[in-house]
Amino acid sequence: VEQGRTKATMLFKLYAVDHYLPWAQQYKQSANSDESKVRNHLIPAFGEKQLRDIGTRDIHVYLGKLRVTLAPATCNRHLALLSKMFKLAAQWGELEGKNPCEGVDKFKESLSHQRFLNQDETRRVMAAAQQEANKYAGAAIRFLLLTGVRREEALQARWEHVDLEQATLFLPK
């Protein structure tokens, strides 16, 4: 009975740190992103609440506050993370009842804001990166522009993935 009561009254922050994040590190490529969202946003919002006390309205309020400063796509990533966290909590017996994210609609995402640098802008960014006092940052910016890889792909690159003779970088994921 005591163990069941402990699970029924588990705080969100304890579940997130002790249960969800270790699972994410083991199973998700986006674990670092999840950890950042959990520590910077979710724990401040829900940390002191018991899992069972977080309802659909709480999720709506949280997302509404996020939407003031963040893009719809980013807010949708937060919703997906919360939904996964609550789904796992239910599977692991940490939560009874329905997932409070069920029935919460995603924000409409628009890709219309996406644009690419033109040749002149690219030249100017490359020149500025060349003049950057922090040579590592300048080199990183030039590398990203020249290769088109994403930041995380560049950070996870290893020398064994580089073929200097063929001038190629293999992206394993």
Side-chain angles (χ1 to χ4, degrees), residues 10 15 17 28 34-36 53-54 56 62 66 70 97 107 111 125-126 148 153 162 169:
M10 181 176 286
Y15 167 72
V17 172
K28 292 187 72 182
D34 285 4
E35 183 170 3
S36 175
D53 292 338
I54 299 171
T56 302
Y62 170 74
L66 277 186
L70 299 177
F107 290 100
L111 297 178
V125 171
M126 290 294 275
E153 291 170 334
V162 176
L169 170 64

Side-chain angles (χ1 to χ4, degrees), residues 14-85:
L14 295 176
Y15 167 72
V17 172
D18 294 343
H19 298 270
Y20 177 76
L21 288 178
W23 175 86
Q25 288 294 334
Q26 187 173 2
Y27 291 103
K28 292 187 72 182
Q29 289 182 13
S30 63
N32 290 340
S33 176
D34 285 4
E35 183 170 3
S36 175
K37 287 179 183 79
V38 165
R39 293 194 189 283
N40 295 323
H41 298 280
L42 298 178
I43 288 177
F46 301 113
E48 298 302 321
K49 286 187 161 216
Q50 295 174 5
L51 285 175
R52 70 176 183 200
D53 292 338
I54 299 171
T56 302
R57 185 178 188 296
D58 297 308
I59 304 300
H60 278 286
V61 169
Y62 170 74
L63 293 172
K65 288 178 183 176
L66 277 186
R67 185 60 191 97
V68 172
T69 57
L70 299 177
T74 304
C75 296
N76 289 342
R77 300 301 85 69
H78 281 252
L79 176 59
L81 171 59
L82 278 166
S83 184
K84 183 64 174 181
M85 291 177 75

